[in-house]
Amino acid sequence: MKLGLKILSGYVLLMLSIGSMVGIIVYERKRMHNIEAETTEIQQMRRDINTVHRSITQLSLLGEGVIGWKEGDYRNFCIQRLHTDSLLDSLETHCMVYVHMAQIDTLRSLLVNKETLLWHIMDAIEQQNEADSLLVNHLPEVARRATRIRTVKQKKKGIAGAFGG
């Protein structure tokens, strides 16, 4: 009996060690799967942040040329700004752990303010161009009127003036 008990206890020990190894492997696989999921999430977050960064850079570069803007250029800027705003809004839900929502909201409001200021700059430049065109078109006429020589005949006084002399 002692030999059978030893063999049985050996099998039980072998089964326990095999069971613990299987448990460890299952646990490690689950842990690896969680790490892969977190890595994928972090990579997606980095891609989203890079996309937002690239979009903000494009807005900055578009704003540099405000002096030569027409109405269509302003509309393109508005579309790009709205796209960036929606990216920031989606980023706000994903990056709550890494970035404060107030910072993203501040950035969004700054972009809205920039859009308004760029519109005012574009409008002021258009008004200046209109004023310049008025000066260019009407300045020769005004100059001609200002430099026209007038001869003023003085009437003679006295008897000569009365007889038209």
Side-chain angles (χ1 to χ4, degrees):
M1 259 317 203
K2 285 194 167 203
L3 183 62
L5 190 60
K6 285 183 180 179
I7 292 174
L8 184 63
S9 65
Y11 279 132
V12 169
L13 268 167
L14 185 63
M15 292 305 258
L16 285 175
S17 64
I18 289 174
S20 65
M21 289 165 74
V22 169
I24 290 171
I25 289 173
V26 167
Y27 173 76
E28 289 298 321
R29 288 188 123 197
K30 184 178 177 182
R31 194 168 159 211
M32 286 295 290
H33 179 68
N34 289 343
I35 289 171
E36 286 174 1
E38 287 177 11
T39 303
T40 303
E41 182 181 337
I42 289 171
Q43 287 174 346
Q44 182 62 41
M45 198 179 319
R46 288 182 70 198
R47 273 187 240 118
D48 291 344
I49 289 171
N50 285 338
T51 303
V52 168
H53 185 260
R54 197 170 39 251
S55 184
I56 290 172
T57 303
Q58 287 175 346
L59 283 175
S60 296
L61 293 175
L62 283 174
E64 292 292 324
V66 70
I67 291 176
W69 274 10
K70 302 293 181 217
E71 220 30 65
D73 298 323
Y74 176 72
R75 273 188 252 115
N76 288 339
F77 183 86
C78 290
I79 290 168
Q80 180 71 27
R81 204 252 332 141
L82 288 173
H83 176 69
T84 304
D85 193 66
S86 65
L87 287 174
L88 284 169
D89 188 40
S90 68
L91 192 68
E92 191 173 40
T93 57
H94 294 154
C95 297
M96 291 174 65
V97 176
Y98 305 106
V99 180
H100 296 290
M101 290 188 337
Q103 292 173 328
I104 293 176
D105 289 338
T106 301
L107 183 58
R108 291 171 67 192
S109 67
L110 286 173
L111 289 174
V112 170
N113 290 342
K114 180 177 182 167
E115 179 181 334
T116 305
L117 291 173
L118 288 175
W119 182 82
H120 287 303
I121 290 170
M122 183 188 76
D123 189 43
I125 289 172
E126 284 180 5
Q127 289 177 359
Q128 181 183 4
N129 288 341
E130 288 174 10
D132 288 348
S133 70
L134 285 174
L135 283 175
V136 168
N137 292 334
H138 296 295
L139 186 61
E141 180 64 30
V142 171
R144 195 174 316 116
R145 286 183 191 169
T147 59
R148 188 178 337 161
I149 299 173
R150 293 184 185 172
T151 54
V152 178
K153 293 183 181 179
Q154 253 184 351
K155 292 187 176 180
K156 293 185 178 182
K157 296 182 181 179
I159 297 178
F163 291 114

